[in-house]
Amino acid sequence: MLDRLGTFRTAAIIVLITVLVTALIAINRRPSAPVAQDAPAIASPASDELSVELRRCDAVSPTSAEEAHCEAVWEENRRRFFGTPARPLPPPSLPGTAAPAIHSPGDAR
């Protein structure tokens, strides 16, 4: 036979298991919260403009006349990614005009 302490332990374990099972049943019977329809995210015009410019710059070749503009767009994308405040994008250069060339110090000409 079990002594008094063993009986108490057995009763305590049975009570804890009963409470656990009751809690699980109560949780499963509770009606689930209604699923909210995801509203389409309203993007700010600045981010839409940046997305359009990023896609356009991704499509042009790196040697095009718009290279300086595209570098500025990519720099703005990096700035926004790392959390610094957004700045207005520079206007794209016209197709007939050449963008100023940016040379790195290592370029030999």
Side-chain angles (χ1 to χ4, degrees), residues 51-60 66 69-70 73 92-93:
S51 297
V52 169
E53 289 296 316
L54 285 169
R55 274 188 242 106
R56 189 182 62 74
C57 288
D58 195 33
V60 299
E66 298 180 349
H69 172 72
C70 288
V73 170
S93 59

Side-chain angles (χ1 to χ4, degrees), residues 28-41:
N28 285 331
R29 284 192 177 181
R30 186 174 17 161
S32 61
V35 177
Q37 295 292 331
D38 291 336

